Amino acid sequence: MSYSSIFAGSALVLGFCLGLMGCARAPSEAPPAAPIPVTVSYPVERYVTDHADFTARIAAVDSVEVRAHVWGYLDKVNFKEGALVKKGDVLFELDTRPYQAVLNQAKAKVAQDEAQLKYDEAEYKRNLGLVRSEAVSRSDLDRTAAARDVDIANIAADKAVIASRQLDLEYTKVIAPVSGRVSRYVVTVGNLIQSGDQNGGTLLTTIVSVDPMYAYFDVDEPTVQRVVKLIREGRADSAPDKEWPVALGLGTEEGFPHQGTINFVDNQVNPKTGTLRVRGVFPNKDEGLSPGYFARVRVPIGRPHQALLVSDRALDTDQGQKILYVVNDKSEVVSRPIRVGAQHDGLRAIEDGLKPGERVIVTGLQQVRPGIIVDPKLVEMPTSEVRNPNGAARLAKAAPSR
């Protein structure tokens, strides 16, 4: 076979293939993608109060170490360890016999000096009558007058000694200086008790008050400066002008069920820690608070103000900037840079970047990007699960505002 015939055959095949390609129909365009279904909610619009949370330590209002005023041997213990006692209850009794003896001695001294005064008074009156007839000299009269005055002074001193000895006798009964819960007794009957002026004295027990209770916490310097600025701008009340509320919750409690007020703010920031010591006082009728507990406290910052609130699940981040995805009137996704605020009842305050009535995407964020068309389904703004005061769980729902 010649080269010319092979070339002719190849050209025929090639022409046939090109003819087939020319006759084939051009491929049709892909159908447009269906809108992505997403869930949207209107931001909740209501008045809120910003707050700050801190860790606190519970302390008793009154905490007393009970010691005796006088020394002596312990005779009786009149309380049950760990019980509630009232102010004035007799907790301990010391041996009274030494103090009763010195009290009797002081009373006898008064009787002795009163008898001497009676004699010197009679001498003075007698000399007073005789001096007129010059039977005695004026110096004798003056001497008897002085003796009478010395007797009067001695009796006054004796009565003061009696009062002191009587007080020592009363101090043999060690009473509760405050009402509260008593600890264990440190010493037992028969031990010698040292008085409080002897190297501090013997510790007998301790008492802590139970109602109300203090909670001490430290506020960081930026929060202090923020509050000062709000007060200066008239958007918050200063502590002396108004009772500043504070809420407290223990580690085993939901939320902040204990309500109290701030009754002390230190006069300077601690330069070592950069914090300001603050104290709240809380009613404790049920004795749910106990000295030494750690607790959480929440302090309101400023007055109530209008805010837009969204669920935390609607927040996204783009290169470190918090954003929300909203759906416009054309069902297009729009990215909104925002500035977030504090959380209120499971919703996050949006301080800037969002307008009332805008539809915020709350689910399906992973599938959306700015500019795409979505199929929005409107639902109520979801919140985190909260608990009501009796402990039962419920799903809090905020009504949307247009």
Side-chain angles (χ1 to χ4, degrees), residues 286-322:
D286 60 354
E287 298 187 42
L289 305 179
S290 183
Y293 281 176
F294 275 110
R296 298 166 287 107
V297 295
R298 172 165 290 179
V299 183
I301 307 296
R303 300 193 185 103
H305 60 277
Q306 190 84 356
L308 294 178
L309 307 172
V310 302
S311 173
D312 274 338
R313 69 180 68 176
L315 300 179
D316 200 0
T317 304
D318 184 10
Q319 297 182 352
Q321 170 69 54
K322 290 291 185 182

Side-chain angles (χ1 to χ4, degrees), residues 111-131:
Q112 179 183 348
D113 289 340
E114 286 178 343
Q116 185 65 42
L117 173 62
K118 185 177 181 181
Y119 171 78
D120 290 338
E121 181 70 25
E123 282 291 305
Y124 171 74
K125 290 180 178 179
R126 186 162 40 250
N127 288 342
L128 186 61
L130 293 175
V131 77

Side-chain angles (χ1 to χ4, degrees), residues 219 224 239-240 244 262-268 276-279:
V219 179
V224 174
W244 204 310
I262 292 176
N263 71 338
F264 167 76
V265 178
D266 210 345
N267 59 0
Q268 63 179 344
L276 182 70
R277 175 57 58 92
V278 180
R279 183 181 70 198

Side-chain angles (χ1 to χ4, degrees), residues 151-360:
D151 293 337
I152 294 174
N154 287 338
I155 292 174
D158 293 340
K159 290 183 177 179
V161 172
I162 287 179
S164 177
R165 299 294 181 261
Q166 182 66 47
L167 194 59
D168 288 342
L169 181 62
E170 293 174 1
Y171 281 154
T172 60
K173 296 183 185 298
V174 182
I175 65 174
V178 296
S179 297
R181 189 170 297 280
V182 67
S183 182
R184 68 181 183 91
Y185 45 86
V186 180
V187 294
T188 55
V189 172
N191 282 284
L192 178 63
I193 306 303
Q194 298 293 333
S195 63
D197 59 354
Q198 299 175 358
N199 298 323
T202 304
L203 177 63
L204 301 176
T205 189
T206 58
I207 302 176
V208 293
S209 60
V210 296
D211 184 31
M213 278 288 177
Y214 284 154
Y216 288 91
F217 55 97
D218 296 318
V219 179
D220 58 278
E221 189 173 334
T223 301
V224 174
Q225 295 176 359
R226 178 186 174 192
V227 172
V228 171
K229 181 180 178 182
L230 291 174
I231 294 174
R232 189 167 54 245
E233 295 173 350
R235 293 188 290 161
D237 299 313
S238 61
D241 299 334
K242 181 182 178 182
E243 285 191 347
W244 204 310
V246 58
L248 179 144
L250 300 178
T252 57
E253 294 176 331
E254 293 288 342
F256 301 85
H258 304 275
Q259 303 299 317
T261 56
I262 292 176
N263 71 338
F264 167 76
V265 178
D266 210 345
N267 59 0
Q268 63 179 344
V269 172
N270 187 331
K272 296 181 179 179
T273 62
T275 58
L276 182 70
R277 175 57 58 92
V278 180
R279 183 181 70 198
V281 59
F282 297 86
N284 193 35
K285 299 294 183 183
D286 60 354
E287 298 187 42
L289 305 179
S290 183
Y293 281 176
F294 275 110
R296 298 166 287 107
V297 295
R298 172 165 290 179
V299 183
I301 307 296
R303 300 193 185 103
H305 60 277
Q306 190 84 356
L308 294 178
L309 307 172
V310 302
S311 173
D312 274 338
R313 69 180 68 176
L315 300 179
D316 200 0
T317 304
D318 184 10
Q319 297 182 352
Q321 170 69 54
K322 290 291 185 182
I323 62 172
L324 287 174
Y325 293 113
V326 300
V327 179
N328 62 17
D329 295 337
K330 300 178 181 180
S331 297
E332 293 178 343
V333 176
V334 179
S335 174
R336 289 290 176 80
I338 58 169
R339 182 161 53 92
V340 299
Q343 195 173 38
H344 303 276
D345 299 329
L347 295 174
R348 180 70 60 179
I350 306 301
E351 297 182 353
D352 189 28
L354 183 65
K355 298 178 182 179
E358 290 189 305
R359 295 179 295 176
V360 179

